[in-house]
Amino acid sequence: MMIRLGVALLLTAAAVPALAADAERKPFGKLADGSAVEIVSLKNKRGVEARIITYGATLQALIGPDRAGKRADVTLGYDTAEMYEQKPNYFGVTVGRYANRIKGGQFALDGKRYQLTLNDKTNSLHGGTKGFDKRNWRIVSVASGPTAKLVLALTSPDGDQGYPGKADVTVTYTLDEASNLTIAYDLATTKPTIANMTNHALFNLAGEGAAQGTSDHVLTIPAKAYTPVDATLIPAGERRAVAGGVFDFTRPRLIAEGLRDMRDEQIRLGTGYDHNFALDAGLTPTPKLAARLEDPKSGRVLEVLTTEPGVQFYTGNFLDGSVAGKNGHAYRQGDGIALEPQKFPDAPNKPDFASPRVDPGKPYRHVMIYRLTTRK
């Protein structure tokens, strides 16, 4: 009897295929200099798919089902490599060496002052005029299996955009059957430098180009404080309590409730939300929840997890409908929002913020997760 039962169990197990994720590599056009751009698709059996292009190590698409099983791409972006190069808007790109803003593009290390390229009026933004988002990364490996995996690499020379030290950088994308899209950033340097890397996806959980935008999305951020900014969106160094104001997302809240509330000077300065939240957990060895975004109509839920101490909440304030995105859609303010886990903006110049310093032999690492699921 025991033998028959054992055989039956083996036959049943053999009849049910193990869940696995697939990786597929294809061409995705060419850049102006003739270099080829590739796209890699990571897919699981739950209907979630991530598409990554080599230009900018960019998350070109994140596709998932709604509560009825209908799949949609929930990230803003472009359909061609040429548009990513010609009309850069940071859609889904890897930003670095330093995500967000550095005041005056200047910082000091060990008594030496460095000047970065300026591309945001008087500041340096997302790594400067030719940051990591404007490089064609090389594919190191692509693999299917229980977890689908893509590894991309880039070498940034000493002095690149003003940053000291030659940097060897990798970005690793993995997708598992729990619909965790994990992104790991690793950077090793030959000289003391600074690093702060993240992904700049703009999300609309109703589907990119959805007419209602994201104002009816519900957001939660486990942060009791944020860092208010000046007129150039540089933090003053203060941590201001969110309790009771338009920045209070400690409980689920409609984004629309505070998005256009000009009674708060910070909303006026940012022309919406474009602010860093100081996560309650701070720096952690393993990813913890940084934000939860839900579209009640479709049932899609995005959870963002990170090992970093902050998350930048940005409501697409500079989108003006002048450029056609995927499927010919015009993207306007509020049509997509970014939740970017990272060190704080201008941290190299703010001793009270977590230091972004990286030294030889002590590499930088940031692990973040986009978890796309549905709520019935």
Side-chain angles (χ1 to χ4, degrees):
M1 185 68 177
M2 291 292 291
I3 294 173
R4 288 177 187 166
L5 181 59
V7 171
L9 287 171
L10 285 171
L11 288 172
T12 301
V16 180
L19 292 174
D22 298 321
E24 185 179 16
R25 179 177 179 175
K26 291 182 178 180
F28 191 73
K30 292 185 177 181
L31 302 175
D33 65 2
S35 57
V37 177
E38 294 187 81
I39 187 167
V40 175
S41 297
L42 309 179
K43 307 174 187 178
N44 70 14
K45 298 301 185 289
R46 298 180 185 271
V48 173
E49 177 180 356
R51 297 175 184 167
I52 302 102
I53 62 171
T54 54
Y55 185 70
T58 297
L59 179 61
Q60 191 269 338
L62 183 60
I63 300 165
D66 64 7
R67 63 165 57 93
K70 184 178 178 181
R71 297 172 78 233
D73 182 0
V74 299
T75 58
L76 277 58
Y78 296 121
D79 293 318
T80 66
E82 291 82 1
M83 285 297 291
Y84 280 98
E85 183 179 30
Q86 294 169 12
K87 301 291 183 181
N89 263 302
Y90 298 112
F91 295 141
V93 300
T94 292
V95 283
R97 288 188 197 187
Y98 199 93
N100 221 310
R101 294 173 174 85
I102 296 178
K103 184 176 182 178
Q106 296 185 358
F107 66 95
L109 279 178
D110 301 329
K112 184 175 180 180
R113 196 146 195 88
Y114 295 91
Q115 177 65 58
L116 308 175
T117 57
L118 303 179
N119 61 328
D120 181 55
K121 297 179 181 177
T122 60
N123 302 319
S124 185
L125 172 68
H126 295 327
T129 55
K130 194 175 182 182
F132 291 173
D133 60 298
K134 297 175 180 67
R135 314 292 175 91
N136 199 16
W137 295 58
R138 63 185 182 275
I139 293 178
V140 176
S141 63
V142 178
S144 300
T147 299
K149 183 177 182 180
L150 165 66
V151 181
L152 297 160
L154 176 74
T155 298
S156 173
D158 184 14
D160 187 9
Q161 305 303 296
Y163 290 92
K166 173 189 171 186
D168 290 311
V169 192
T170 61
V171 177
T172 303
Y173 285 89
T174 58
L175 178 66
D176 65 19
E177 282 303 325
S179 299
N180 293 302
L181 178 65
T182 301
I183 312 174
Y185 303 96
D186 293 279
L187 182 150
T189 180
T190 58
K191 295 179 181 178
T193 191
I194 59 172
N196 180 35
M197 297 175 62
T198 192
N199 185 274
H200 200 287
L202 283 104
F203 293 98
N204 185 337
L205 297 185
E208 67 81 27
Q212 66 269 34
T214 60
S215 60
D216 57 353
H217 285 29
V218 176
L219 178 64
T220 310
I221 301 177
K224 295 183 180 67
Y226 77 105
T227 53
V229 297
D230 64 17
T232 67
L233 301 181
I234 294 291
E238 172 192 359
R239 286 179 174 84
R240 184 176 296 175
V242 302
V246 296
F247 287 86
D248 192 348
F249 290 94
T250 53
R251 294 184 179 181
R253 177 179 181 175
L254 274 173
I255 291 172
E257 288 182 5
L259 182 60
R260 292 178 174 82
D261 191 344
M262 299 289 277
R263 292 172 297 179
D264 191 299
E265 183 191 28
Q266 288 295 306
I267 295 293
R268 180 178 60 80
L269 289 173
T271 61
Y273 291 104
D274 193 0
H275 295 77
N276 168 68
F277 286 72
L279 296 170
D280 293 342
L283 279 165
T284 53
T286 57
K288 80 290 185 180
L289 186 69
R292 183 185 186 278
L293 184 67
E294 180 178 352
D295 173 32
K297 186 174 181 180
S298 70
R300 291 190 186 92
V301 174
L302 177 74
E303 292 174 293
V304 182
L305 296 87
T306 181
T307 54
E308 292 295 299
V311 63
Q312 184 84 5
F313 172 36
Y314 168 59
T315 45
N317 309 328
F318 298 108
L319 301 176
D320 61 6
S322 61
V323 176
K326 296 174 187 173
N327 303 301
H329 292 145
Y331 298 143
R332 302 151 299 177
Q333 181 181 16
D335 281 349
I337 67 167
L339 295 161
E340 308 160 61
Q342 56 192 271
K343 296 281 195 307
F344 294 0
D346 202 35
N349 298 310
K350 302 289 192 298
D352 290 341
F353 292 173
S355 173
R357 179 178 178 135
V358 184
D359 289 300
K362 297 179 180 179
Y364 163 89
R365 182 169 175 82
H366 171 205
V367 180
M368 60 176 285
I369 299 171
Y370 290 140
R371 181 183 295 148
L372 184 62
T373 57
T374 54
R375 188 170 74 88
K376 302 300 183 185

